[in-house]
Amino acid sequence: MGREFGSVGVVGLGTMGAGIVEVFARSGVAVTAVEISDVALHRGEVTMRGSLDRAVAKGKLSAGDRDALLGRVTFAVGLDALHEVDLVIEAVPEHLDLKQRIFAELDRVCKPEAILATNTSSLSVTEISVATTRPNQVIGMHFFNPAPIMKLVEVVRTVVTSQDVVTDIEALCERLGKVDVTITDRAGFIANALLFGYLNQAVSMVEARYATREDIDAAMKLGCGLPMGPLALMDLIGLDTAYEILDTMYRRGGRDRRHAPVPLIKQMVTAGLLGRKSGRGFYTYEKPGSPVVVADELTPATSNDSGRPTHIAKVGVVGSGTMATGIIEVFAKAGFEVVSVTRGAEKSAQVCERLKTSLNKGVVRGKLTERDRDAAIGRVTWSATIDHLNDVDLVVEAVVEELSVKKALFASLDEICKPGVVLATTTSSLPVIECAVATERPADVIGLHFFNPAPVMGLVEVVRTIRTSDATVNTATEVCRALAKHAVVCADRSGFVVNALLFPYLNDAVKMVEASYSTADDIDYAMKLGCGYPMGPFELLDVVGLDVSLAIQRELYLELREPGFAPAPLLEHLVTAGYLGRKVGRGFRDYSKR
């Protein structure tokens, strides 16, 4: 049991500081909220009252509870007001010299047994602590925004932080209803170290004009189930704040290029494009501080007149795996005639049975009528030879992820299919251009990367090569629209959008465990509770398969040659040992005993 904190001080009443005050006051703790001036104090009080009033309006807090909560808060100017508190949490801007000055003054003002905590998200807690004569009583308490809602607190201990202090703070987090992960003092801790490398890479895609801001954000929301796209999240965080965090992590974290701020971020900060708070960042907002996005000169046009799309009525799907079956279902339910081609009658029978099982589940769940199910099944023709694709309008290849197999198939399709047919590959990592040049019609070849399970996932990555025609791209996007899928268009680069952003983040997480910085469980907690991710990185790796993840990471590294993309040795060792994830009962976790 940790000691009881009867009173707490909070220094700095910006969005985060005001939220931390609310967290403690909601838990019945007396709080002294301190700012540098009357103007700043009033602004902080208004911020906190606004948050509470919104909670009352939504029925999440009664007016009486709000008033009682406010009665526990004392607003004051100057650090001298903190002379009797048991714990102080500093939440001022992320500048080391400023935090050091404040901690030196807190050391003078606060009683000897008081614990001094910093809410820094990236700076060295150790460097802050040495500004005091009590570094053993200094600790990091990194809350996440909005503090009253987000459950995670990263508890950051330095090499001299007393174990009693760590125990007290961990117990306090539990009393506040928070989940703590205790870690040592390293740049970015867990969540920011993983999050900002991913955000930085997303900005590099915009800078390189690899895909539009809208498509990058849609890809990560629809393809990974994230609550926000990376560029919208950058706008919410503030580009100036993001730059400072990245720059700090780059300098403190061994100069990892994953954290070297993309030049575009600094350029936007210099131009005053700071995100929501300035009304303009990667997106344009209704007014400063507003979450409402408005159209600007970068908003995509609703129509594209360059290249008339081809009318698609009949589709061929080549393959017999889970993805091929799902794609057949998607097209058949959308009203397209489908020719399914497998390597034999037995394979066709298996695909047919899986299709019927999936459609029947849709009927049982009330998502499909029996009539619609029967109609979808009736639109599928089963075949064991690609010669039956001679009259289709579109072919979707979903065979094994081996380039030689795909190239041979596309060469055969080139001979069999009529002129003007769109030839698509569902590859998730191989170069689409390799498939295209295996034919005499590279302008008609494109990537259509569906996500698994195809009937459920709303995203399709439309991958154009340097030889793909505008008409083929427009045809592909029109087909996606007919399938009720969201198409994101990108160039032919390893990983496309989703995998290129997702797997380096997963690889970074593996490196954290490999370095014994944190556990798989704590990292998963950090990303789910601190960033709102639907799954932690190790849960996801075990679901995807460690062998699949390693293969994709290797492809990314071979193409981009970035040292930070080199597969983590731990991932390679686990794959060599046969620990491939849930499918074999053992990955980062052991599933055989569950």
Coordinates of all heavy atoms in Angstrom, one line a residue, residues 285-370:
Y285 N -9.3 24.3 -41.0 CA -10.4 24.2 -40.0 C -11.2 25.4 -40.1 O -10.8 26.5 -40.5 CB -9.8 23.9 -38.6 CG -9.1 22.6 -38.5 CD1 -7.7 22.6 -38.8 CD2 -9.7 21.4 -38.3 CE1 -7.0 21.4 -38.8 CE2 -9.0 20.2 -38.2 CZ -7.7 20.2 -38.5 OH -7.0 19.0 -38.5
E286 N -12.5 25.3 -39.6 CA -13.5 26.3 -39.6 C -12.9 27.6 -39.0 O -13.2 28.7 -39.4 CB -14.7 25.8 -38.9 CG -16.0 26.6 -39.1 CD -17.2 26.0 -38.5 OE1 -17.1 25.5 -37.4 OE2 -18.2 25.9 -39.2
K287 N -12.2 27.4 -37.9 CA -11.6 28.5 -37.1 C -10.6 28.0 -36.2 O -10.6 26.8 -35.9 CB -12.7 29.3 -36.4 CG -13.4 28.5 -35.3 CD -14.5 29.3 -34.6 CE -15.2 28.5 -33.6 NZ -16.3 29.3 -32.9
P288 N -9.7 28.8 -35.7 CA -8.7 28.3 -34.7 C -9.3 27.6 -33.6 O -10.3 28.1 -33.0 CB -7.9 29.5 -34.3 CG -8.0 30.4 -35.5 CD -9.4 30.2 -36.0
G289 N -8.8 26.4 -33.3 CA -9.4 25.6 -32.2 C -10.5 24.7 -32.5 O -11.0 23.8 -31.7
S290 N -11.1 24.9 -33.7 CA -12.3 24.1 -34.1 C -11.8 22.7 -34.7 O -10.8 22.6 -35.4 CB -13.1 24.8 -35.2 OG -14.1 24.0 -35.8
P291 N -12.6 21.7 -34.4 CA -12.4 20.4 -35.0 C -13.0 20.2 -36.4 O -12.8 19.1 -37.0 CB -13.0 19.4 -34.0 CG -14.2 20.1 -33.5 CD -13.8 21.6 -33.4
V292 N -13.7 21.2 -36.9 CA -14.5 21.1 -38.1 C -13.6 21.4 -39.3 O -13.0 22.5 -39.5 CB -15.7 22.0 -38.1 CG1 -16.4 21.9 -39.5 CG2 -16.6 21.7 -37.0
V293 N -13.3 20.4 -40.2 CA -12.5 20.5 -41.4 C -13.3 21.1 -42.5 O -14.5 20.7 -42.7 CB -11.9 19.1 -41.8 CG1 -11.1 19.3 -43.1 CG2 -11.1 18.5 -40.7
V294 N -12.7 22.1 -43.2 CA -13.4 22.7 -44.3 C -12.5 22.5 -45.6 O -11.3 22.2 -45.5 CB -13.6 24.2 -44.1 CG1 -14.6 24.4 -42.9 CG2 -12.3 25.0 -43.9
A295 N -13.1 22.6 -46.7 CA -12.4 22.4 -48.0 C -11.4 23.5 -48.2 O -11.6 24.6 -47.8 CB -13.4 22.3 -49.1
D296 N -10.3 23.1 -48.8 CA -9.2 24.1 -49.2 C -8.7 23.7 -50.6 O -9.2 22.8 -51.3 CB -8.1 24.1 -48.1 CG -7.4 22.8 -47.9 OD1 -7.5 21.9 -48.8 OD2 -6.9 22.6 -46.8
E297 N -7.6 24.3 -51.0 CA -7.1 24.1 -52.3 C -6.5 22.7 -52.5 O -6.3 22.2 -53.7 CB -6.0 25.1 -52.7 CG -4.7 25.0 -51.9 CD -4.7 25.6 -50.5 OE1 -5.8 26.1 -50.1 OE2 -3.7 25.7 -49.9
L298 N -6.3 21.9 -51.4 CA -5.7 20.6 -51.5 C -6.8 19.5 -51.5 O -6.5 18.3 -51.6 CB -4.7 20.3 -50.4 CG -3.5 21.2 -50.4 CD1 -2.6 20.9 -49.2 CD2 -2.7 21.0 -51.7
T299 N -8.1 19.9 -51.2 CA -9.2 19.0 -51.2 C -9.4 18.3 -52.5 O -9.5 19.0 -53.5 CB -10.5 19.7 -50.7 OG1 -10.3 20.3 -49.4 CG2 -11.6 18.7 -50.6
P300 N -9.4 17.0 -52.6 CA -9.5 16.3 -53.9 C -10.8 16.7 -54.6 O -11.9 16.9 -54.0 CB -9.5 14.8 -53.6 CG -8.9 14.8 -52.2 CD -9.3 16.0 -51.5
A301 N -10.7 16.8 -55.9 CA -11.9 17.0 -56.7 C -12.8 15.8 -56.7 O -12.4 14.7 -56.5 CB -11.6 17.3 -58.2
T302 N -14.1 16.1 -56.8 CA -15.1 14.9 -56.7 C -15.1 14.1 -58.0 O -15.5 12.9 -57.9 CB -16.5 15.5 -56.5 OG1 -16.8 16.4 -57.6 CG2 -16.6 16.2 -55.2
S303 N -14.5 14.6 -59.1 CA -14.5 13.8 -60.3 C -13.2 13.9 -61.0 O -12.5 14.9 -60.8 CB -15.6 14.1 -61.2 OG -15.5 15.5 -61.6
N304 N -12.8 12.9 -61.7 CA -11.5 13.0 -62.5 C -11.8 12.7 -64.0 O -12.3 11.7 -64.3 CB -10.6 11.9 -61.9 CG -9.2 12.0 -62.6 OD1 -9.0 12.7 -63.5 ND2 -8.3 11.1 -62.1
D305 N -11.6 13.7 -64.8 CA -11.9 13.6 -66.2 C -10.8 13.0 -67.0 O -11.0 12.8 -68.2 CB -12.3 15.0 -66.7 CG -13.5 15.6 -66.1 OD1 -14.4 14.8 -65.7 OD2 -13.6 16.9 -65.9
S306 N -9.6 12.8 -66.4 CA -8.5 12.2 -67.2 C -8.6 10.7 -67.2 O -8.2 10.0 -66.3 CB -7.2 12.6 -66.5 OG -7.1 12.1 -65.2
G307 N -9.1 10.2 -68.3 CA -9.2 8.8 -68.5 C -10.6 8.2 -68.2 O -11.0 8.1 -67.0
R308 N -11.4 7.9 -69.2 CA -12.7 7.4 -69.0 C -12.7 6.0 -68.5 O -12.0 5.1 -69.0 CB -13.5 7.4 -70.3 CG -15.0 7.1 -70.2 CD -15.7 7.1 -71.5 NE -15.6 8.4 -72.1 CZ -16.5 9.4 -71.8 NH1 -17.5 9.1 -71.0 NH2 -16.4 10.5 -72.4
P309 N -13.4 5.7 -67.3 CA -13.3 4.3 -66.8 C -14.1 3.3 -67.7 O -15.0 3.6 -68.4 CB -14.1 4.4 -65.5 CG -14.9 5.6 -65.6 CD -14.2 6.6 -66.5
T310 N -13.6 2.0 -67.7 CA -14.2 1.0 -68.4 C -15.4 0.4 -67.6 O -15.3 0.3 -66.4 CB -13.2 -0.2 -68.7 OG1 -12.1 0.4 -69.4 CG2 -13.8 -1.3 -69.4
H311 N -16.5 0.1 -68.3 CA -17.6 -0.6 -67.6 C -17.2 -2.0 -67.3 O -16.8 -2.8 -68.1 CB -18.8 -0.5 -68.5 CG -20.0 -1.3 -67.9 ND1 -20.7 -0.8 -66.8 CD2 -20.6 -2.4 -68.3 CE1 -21.6 -1.7 -66.5 NE2 -21.6 -2.7 -67.3
I312 N -17.4 -2.4 -66.0 CA -17.1 -3.7 -65.6 C -18.4 -4.4 -65.2 O -19.2 -4.0 -64.4 CB -16.2 -3.7 -64.3 CG1 -14.9 -2.9 -64.6 CG2 -15.9 -5.1 -63.8 CD1 -14.0 -3.5 -65.6
A313 N -18.6 -5.6 -65.8 CA -19.8 -6.4 -65.5 C -19.4 -7.8 -65.1 O -20.1 -8.4 -64.2 CB -20.7 -6.5 -66.8
K314 N -18.3 -8.3 -65.6 CA -17.9 -9.7 -65.3 C -16.5 -9.7 -64.8 O -15.6 -9.1 -65.4 CB -18.1 -10.6 -66.6 CG -18.0 -12.1 -66.3 CD -18.3 -12.8 -67.6 CE -18.4 -14.3 -67.4 NZ -18.7 -15.0 -68.6
V315 N -16.3 -10.4 -63.7 CA -15.0 -10.4 -63.0 C -14.5 -11.8 -62.8 O -15.2 -12.7 -62.5 CB -15.2 -9.7 -61.6 CG1 -13.8 -9.7 -60.8 CG2 -15.7 -8.3 -61.7
G316 N -13.2 -12.0 -63.1 CA -12.5 -13.2 -62.8 C -11.7 -13.1 -61.5 O -11.0 -12.1 -61.3
V317 N -11.7 -14.1 -60.7 CA -10.9 -14.2 -59.5 C -10.1 -15.4 -59.5 O -10.7 -16.5 -59.6 CB -11.8 -14.1 -58.2 CG1 -10.9 -14.2 -56.9 CG2 -12.6 -12.8 -58.2
V318 N -8.8 -15.3 -59.4 CA -7.9 -16.4 -59.5 C -7.3 -16.7 -58.1 O -6.7 -15.8 -57.5 CB -6.8 -16.2 -60.5 CG1 -5.9 -17.5 -60.6 CG2 -7.3 -15.8 -61.9
G319 N -7.5 -17.9 -57.6 CA -7.0 -18.2 -56.3 C -8.0 -19.0 -55.5 O -9.2 -19.0 -55.8
S320 N -7.5 -19.7 -54.4 CA -8.4 -20.6 -53.7 C -8.3 -20.4 -52.2 O -8.8 -21.1 -51.4 CB -8.1 -22.0 -54.0 OG -6.8 -22.4 -53.7
G321 N -7.5 -19.3 -51.7 CA -7.3 -19.1 -50.3 C -8.4 -18.3 -49.7 O -9.5 -18.0 -50.3
T322 N -8.2 -17.9 -48.5 CA -9.2 -17.1 -47.7 C -9.5 -15.7 -48.4 O -10.6 -15.3 -48.5 CB -8.6 -16.8 -46.3 OG1 -8.4 -18.0 -45.6 CG2 -9.6 -16.0 -45.5
M323 N -8.4 -15.1 -48.9 CA -8.6 -13.8 -49.5 C -9.4 -13.9 -50.8 O -10.3 -13.1 -51.1 CB -7.2 -13.1 -49.8 CG -7.3 -11.7 -50.4 SD -8.3 -10.6 -49.4 CE -7.1 -10.3 -48.0
A324 N -9.0 -14.9 -51.6 CA -9.8 -15.1 -52.9 C -11.2 -15.4 -52.6 O -12.1 -14.8 -53.3 CB -9.2 -16.3 -53.7
T325 N -11.5 -16.2 -51.6 CA -12.9 -16.5 -51.3 C -13.7 -15.2 -50.9 O -14.8 -15.0 -51.3 CB -13.0 -17.5 -50.1 OG1 -12.2 -18.7 -50.5 CG2 -14.4 -17.9 -49.9
G326 N -13.0 -14.4 -50.0 CA -13.6 -13.2 -49.6 C -13.9 -12.2 -50.7 O -14.9 -11.5 -50.8
I327 N -13.0 -12.1 -51.7 CA -13.1 -11.2 -52.8 C -14.3 -11.7 -53.7 O -15.1 -10.9 -54.2 CB -11.8 -11.1 -53.6 CG1 -10.8 -10.4 -52.8 CG2 -12.0 -10.4 -54.9 CD1 -9.4 -10.4 -53.3
I328 N -14.4 -13.0 -53.9 CA -15.5 -13.6 -54.7 C -16.8 -13.2 -54.0 O -17.8 -12.7 -54.7 CB -15.4 -15.1 -54.8 CG1 -14.2 -15.5 -55.6 CG2 -16.7 -15.7 -55.3 CD1 -13.9 -17.0 -55.5
E329 N -16.9 -13.3 -52.7 CA -18.1 -12.9 -52.0 C -18.4 -11.4 -52.2 O -19.6 -11.1 -52.4 CB -18.0 -13.2 -50.5 CG -19.2 -12.9 -49.7 CD -19.1 -13.2 -48.2 OE1 -18.3 -14.1 -47.9 OE2 -19.8 -12.6 -47.4
V330 N -17.4 -10.6 -52.1 CA -17.6 -9.2 -52.2 C -18.2 -8.8 -53.6 O -19.2 -8.0 -53.7 CB -16.3 -8.4 -52.0 CG1 -16.4 -7.0 -52.4 CG2 -15.9 -8.5 -50.5
F331 N -17.6 -9.4 -54.6 CA -18.1 -9.0 -56.0 C -19.5 -9.6 -56.2 O -20.4 -9.0 -56.8 CB -17.1 -9.6 -57.0 CG -16.0 -8.6 -57.3 CD1 -14.7 -8.8 -56.7 CD2 -16.2 -7.5 -58.1 CE1 -13.7 -8.0 -57.0 CE2 -15.1 -6.6 -58.3 CZ -13.9 -6.9 -57.8
A332 N -19.7 -10.9 -55.8 CA -21.0 -11.5 -56.0 C -22.1 -10.8 -55.3 O -23.2 -10.6 -55.9 CB -20.9 -13.0 -55.6
K333 N -21.9 -10.4 -54.1 CA -23.0 -9.7 -53.3 C -23.2 -8.3 -54.0 O -24.4 -7.8 -53.8 CB -22.5 -9.5 -51.9 CG -22.6 -10.8 -51.1 CD -22.6 -10.6 -49.6 CE -21.4 -9.9 -49.1 NZ -21.3 -9.9 -47.6
A334 N -22.2 -7.7 -54.6 CA -22.4 -6.4 -55.2 C -23.1 -6.5 -56.6 O -23.3 -5.4 -57.3 CB -21.1 -5.7 -55.3
G335 N -23.4 -7.7 -57.1 CA -24.1 -7.8 -58.3 C -23.3 -8.2 -59.5 O -23.8 -8.2 -60.7
F336 N -22.0 -8.4 -59.4 CA -21.1 -8.7 -60.5 C -21.2 -10.2 -60.8 O -21.3 -11.0 -59.9 CB -19.7 -8.4 -60.2 CG -19.4 -6.9 -60.1 CD1 -19.5 -6.2 -58.9 CD2 -19.0 -6.2 -61.2 CE1 -19.3 -4.8 -58.8 CE2 -18.7 -4.8 -61.2 CZ -18.9 -4.2 -60.0
E337 N -21.1 -10.6 -62.1 CA -20.9 -12.0 -62.5 C -19.4 -12.3 -62.1 O -18.5 -11.5 -62.4 CB -21.1 -12.2 -64.0 CG -22.6 -12.2 -64.4 CD -22.7 -12.6 -65.9 OE1 -22.3 -13.7 -66.2 OE2 -23.0 -11.7 -66.7
V338 N -19.2 -13.5 -61.5 CA -17.9 -13.8 -61.1 C -17.5 -15.2 -61.7 O -18.3 -16.2 -61.6 CB -17.8 -13.9 -59.6 CG1 -16.3 -14.2 -59.1 CG2 -18.2 -12.5 -59.0
V339 N -16.3 -15.3 -62.2 CA -15.7 -16.6 -62.6 C -14.6 -16.9 -61.7 O -13.6 -16.1 -61.6 CB -15.2 -16.5 -64.1 CG1 -14.6 -17.9 -64.4 CG2 -16.3 -16.2 -65.1
S340 N -14.7 -17.9 -60.9 CA -13.7 -18.3 -59.9 C -12.8 -19.4 -60.5 O -13.3 -20.4 -61.0 CB -14.4 -18.9 -58.6 OG -13.4 -19.5 -57.8
V341 N -11.5 -19.1 -60.6 CA -10.6 -20.1 -61.2 C -9.7 -20.6 -60.1 O -9.0 -19.8 -59.4 CB -9.8 -19.4 -62.3 CG1 -8.8 -20.4 -62.9 CG2 -10.7 -19.0 -63.4
T342 N -9.6 -21.9 -59.9 CA -8.7 -22.5 -59.0 C -7.9 -23.6 -59.7 O -8.0 -23.7 -60.9 CB -9.5 -23.2 -57.8 OG1 -10.2 -24.3 -58.4 CG2 -10.5 -22.2 -57.2
R343 N -7.1 -24.3 -58.9 CA -6.2 -25.3 -59.6 C -6.8 -26.7 -59.8 O -6.1 -27.6 -60.2 CB -4.9 -25.4 -58.7 CG -4.0 -24.3 -58.8 CD -2.8 -24.4 -57.9 NE -3.1 -24.4 -56.5 CZ -2.3 -24.7 -55.5 NH1 -1.1 -25.0 -55.8 NH2 -2.7 -24.7 -54.3
G344 N -8.1 -26.8 -59.5 CA -8.7 -28.1 -59.7 C -10.1 -28.1 -59.1 O -10.5 -27.2 -58.3
A345 N -10.9 -29.1 -59.5 CA -12.3 -29.2 -59.1 C -12.4 -29.3 -57.5 O -13.3 -28.7 -56.9 CB -13.0 -30.4 -59.7
E346 N -11.5 -30.0 -56.9 CA -11.5 -30.1 -55.4 C -11.3 -28.8 -54.8 O -12.0 -28.5 -53.8 CB -10.4 -31.1 -55.0 CG -10.4 -31.4 -53.5 CD -9.4 -32.4 -53.1 OE1 -8.8 -33.0 -53.9 OE2 -9.1 -32.5 -51.8
K347 N -10.4 -28.0 -55.3 CA -10.2 -26.6 -54.7 C -11.4 -25.7 -54.9 O -11.8 -25.0 -54.0 CB -9.0 -25.9 -55.4 CG -7.6 -26.5 -55.0 CD -7.2 -26.1 -53.6 CE -5.8 -26.5 -53.2 NZ -5.5 -26.2 -51.9
S348 N -12.0 -25.8 -56.1 CA -13.3 -25.1 -56.4 C -14.4 -25.4 -55.4 O -15.1 -24.6 -54.9 CB -13.7 -25.3 -57.8 OG -12.8 -24.7 -58.7
A349 N -14.5 -26.7 -55.1 CA -15.5 -27.2 -54.2 C -15.3 -26.6 -52.8 O -16.2 -26.3 -52.1 CB -15.6 -28.7 -54.2
Q350 N -14.0 -26.6 -52.4 CA -13.7 -26.0 -51.1 C -14.0 -24.5 -51.0 O -14.6 -24.1 -50.0 CB -12.2 -26.3 -50.8 CG -11.8 -27.7 -50.6 CD -10.3 -27.9 -50.5 OE1 -9.5 -27.0 -50.7 NE2 -9.9 -29.2 -50.2
V351 N -13.7 -23.8 -52.1 CA -14.0 -22.4 -52.1 C -15.5 -22.2 -52.1 O -16.0 -21.3 -51.4 CB -13.3 -21.7 -53.3 CG1 -13.8 -20.2 -53.4 CG2 -11.8 -21.8 -53.3
C352 N -16.2 -22.9 -52.8 CA -17.6 -22.8 -52.9 C -18.3 -23.1 -51.5 O -19.2 -22.4 -51.1 CB -18.2 -23.8 -53.9 SG -20.0 -23.8 -54.1
E353 N -17.8 -24.1 -50.8 CA -18.3 -24.4 -49.5 C -18.0 -23.3 -48.5 O -18.9 -22.9 -47.7 CB -17.7 -25.7 -49.0 CG -18.3 -26.3 -47.8 CD -19.8 -26.6 -48.0 OE1 -20.2 -27.0 -49.1 OE2 -20.6 -26.4 -47.0
R354 N -16.8 -22.7 -48.6 CA -16.5 -21.6 -47.7 C -17.3 -20.4 -48.0 O -17.8 -19.6 -47.1 CB -15.0 -21.2 -47.8 CG -14.1 -22.3 -47.2 CD -12.7 -21.6 -46.8 NE -12.1 -21.0 -48.0 CZ -11.2 -21.7 -48.8 NH1 -10.9 -23.0 -48.6 NH2 -10.7 -21.1 -49.8
L355 N -17.6 -20.1 -49.3 CA -18.5 -19.0 -49.7 C -19.9 -19.2 -49.1 O -20.4 -18.3 -48.5 CB -18.5 -18.9 -51.2 CG -19.5 -17.9 -51.8 CD1 -19.1 -16.4 -51.4 CD2 -19.6 -18.0 -53.3
K356 N -20.4 -20.4 -49.3 CA -21.8 -20.7 -48.8 C -21.8 -20.5 -47.3 O -22.8 -20.0 -46.7 CB -22.2 -22.0 -49.2 CG -22.5 -22.2 -50.7 CD -22.9 -23.6 -51.0 CE -23.2 -23.8 -52.5 NZ -23.5 -25.2 -52.9
T357 N -20.8 -21.0 -46.6 CA -20.8 -20.9 -45.1 C -20.8 -19.4 -44.7 O -21.5 -19.0 -43.7 CB -19.5 -21.6 -44.5 OG1 -19.6 -23.0 -44.9 CG2 -19.4 -21.4 -43.0
S358 N -20.0 -18.6 -45.3 CA -19.9 -17.2 -45.0 C -21.2 -16.5 -45.3 O -21.7 -15.7 -44.5 CB -18.8 -16.5 -45.8 OG -18.7 -15.1 -45.5
L359 N -21.8 -16.8 -46.4 CA -23.1 -16.1 -46.8 C -24.2 -16.6 -45.8 O -25.1 -15.8 -45.4 CB -23.5 -16.5 -48.2 CG -22.6 -15.9 -49.3 CD1 -23.0 -16.4 -50.7 CD2 -22.8 -14.3 -49.3
N360 N -24.2 -17.8 -45.4 CA -25.2 -18.3 -44.4 C -25.1 -17.6 -43.1 O -26.1 -17.3 -42.4 CB -25.0 -19.8 -44.2 CG -25.6 -20.6 -45.4 OD1 -26.5 -20.2 -46.1 ND2 -25.1 -21.8 -45.7
K361 N -23.8 -17.3 -42.7 CA -23.6 -16.6 -41.5 C -24.2 -15.2 -41.6 O -24.8 -14.7 -40.6 CB -22.1 -16.4 -41.2 CG -21.5 -17.7 -40.7 CD -20.0 -17.5 -40.4 CE -19.3 -18.8 -39.9 NZ -17.9 -18.6 -39.7
G362 N -24.1 -14.6 -42.8 CA -24.8 -13.3 -43.0 C -26.3 -13.3 -42.9 O -26.9 -12.4 -42.3
V363 N -26.9 -14.4 -43.3 CA -28.3 -14.6 -43.2 C -28.7 -14.8 -41.7 O -29.6 -14.2 -41.2 CB -28.8 -15.9 -44.0 CG1 -30.2 -16.1 -43.7 CG2 -28.5 -15.6 -45.5
V364 N -27.9 -15.6 -41.0 CA -28.2 -15.8 -39.6 C -28.1 -14.5 -38.8 O -28.9 -14.3 -37.9 CB -27.2 -16.9 -39.0 CG1 -27.4 -17.0 -37.5 CG2 -27.5 -18.3 -39.6
R365 N -27.2 -13.7 -39.1 CA -27.0 -12.4 -38.4 C -27.9 -11.3 -38.9 O -27.8 -10.2 -38.4 CB -25.5 -12.0 -38.6 CG -24.5 -12.9 -37.9 CD -23.1 -12.6 -38.3 NE -22.2 -13.5 -37.6 CZ -20.9 -13.6 -38.0 NH1 -20.4 -12.9 -39.0 NH2 -20.1 -14.5 -37.3
G366 N -28.7 -11.6 -39.9 CA -29.7 -10.6 -40.3 C -29.1 -9.6 -41.3 O -29.7 -8.6 -41.5
K367 N -27.9 -9.8 -41.8 CA -27.2 -8.9 -42.7 C -27.5 -9.2 -44.1 O -27.1 -8.4 -45.0 CB -25.7 -8.9 -42.4 CG -25.4 -8.4 -41.0 CD -23.9 -8.4 -40.8 CE -23.5 -7.8 -39.4 NZ -22.1 -7.8 -39.2
L368 N -28.2 -10.3 -44.4 CA -28.4 -10.8 -45.8 C -29.7 -11.6 -45.8 O -29.9 -12.4 -44.9 CB -27.2 -11.6 -46.2 CG -27.0 -11.9 -47.7 CD1 -26.6 -10.6 -48.4 CD2 -25.8 -12.9 -47.9
T369 N -30.5 -11.4 -46.8 CA -31.7 -12.2 -46.9 C -31.3 -13.5 -47.6 O -30.3 -13.6 -48.3 CB -32.8 -11.5 -47.7 OG1 -32.3 -11.4 -49.1 CG2 -33.1 -10.2 -47.1
E370 N -32.2 -14.5 -47.5 CA -31.9 -15.8 -48.1 C -32.0 -15.6 -49.7 O -31.2 -16.2 -50.4 CB -33.0 -16.8 -47.7 CG -32.9 -17.3 -46.3 CD -33.9 -18.4 -45.9 OE1 -34.6 -18.8 -46.8 OE2 -33.9 -18.8 -44.7

